[in-house]
Amino acid sequence: MNDTSDTGIDTIGTCTFPTREYRISLRVGSHSPRHVRRVVRALLRLWGLGRLVDAAELAVTELLVNVYRHVPDRRCTVTVRRHEGGGEGVVIGVHDEHPALPRVGDAGPWEEGGRGLAVVAAVTDKWGVAPDGDGPQRTGGKTVWCELRA
């Protein structure tokens, strides 16, 4: 079923529980962040990381809004990965094929946008951008990721 009229989701995510990773590919629509937040919330509670829910929901929302605003086809893949090396936590990545790299905005006090990555930086332990490919002629996409530690 590929009806995206209500959710903007093209592909239903798959995983077998208990899992360490969940991945979903979608075309981001106006309701997509709400649906992805529900998935993130459920996964974190399943993994016993409920104390990370609020920050993770806010971060993934900001990353999806960036796709909605800046990626022409609005397609992306969201990955939520549990890690335990050096302490429990989660890494959330949003990958798209658009070559432009995001940057932290310098929004003025009356501007409505330009604060998303600053919010991600404020509510997560680490965040970054991993471009696909190398060099100045890079044409690939990128993954914008954030890490939250328990």
Side-chain angles (χ1 to χ4, degrees):
M1 165 168 64
N2 284 349
D3 178 16
T4 62
S5 59
D6 292 334
T7 64
I9 296 174
D10 287 334
T11 305
I12 303 301
T14 60
C15 63
T16 305
F17 290 101
T19 185
R20 291 184 182 272
E21 183 174 295
Y22 177 86
R23 186 176 307 222
I24 185 169
S25 296
L26 61 140
R27 183 183 52 80
V28 179
S30 59
H31 297 293
S32 301
R34 177 180 56 173
H35 297 292
V36 174
R37 281 193 304 269
R38 287 179 180 168
V39 170
V40 168
R41 182 183 318 125
L43 288 169
L44 291 176
R45 288 180 177 162
L46 175 73
W47 294 336
L49 299 171
R51 60 193 167 279
L52 301 178
V53 166
D54 291 340
E57 286 182 337
L58 183 54
V60 77
T61 297
E62 293 298 337
L63 297 179
L64 288 171
V65 168
N66 280 349
V67 171
Y68 186 81
R69 289 186 176 171
H70 302 293
V71 176
D73 68 3
R74 296 183 178 166
R75 293 190 180 281
C76 69
T77 300
V78 178
T79 304
V80 183
R81 183 173 37 92
R82 177 183 181 180
H83 65 85
E84 298 172 358
E88 286 196 358
V90 65
V91 176
I92 299 171
V94 177
H95 180 270
D96 66 70
E97 293 296 331
H98 191 48
L101 297 177
R103 59 182 174 77
V104 176
D106 188 21
W110 303 109
E111 293 180 59
E112 288 187 26
R115 294 178 186 82
L117 291 176
V119 169
V120 171
V123 301
T124 64
D125 294 298
K126 284 198 272 188
W127 78 277
V129 180
D132 296 348
D134 293 322
Q137 306 302 322
R138 187 183 75 76
T139 59
K142 76 275 187 189
T143 300
V144 183
W145 60 269
C146 61
E147 180 178 339
L148 296 100
R149 295 274 180 177

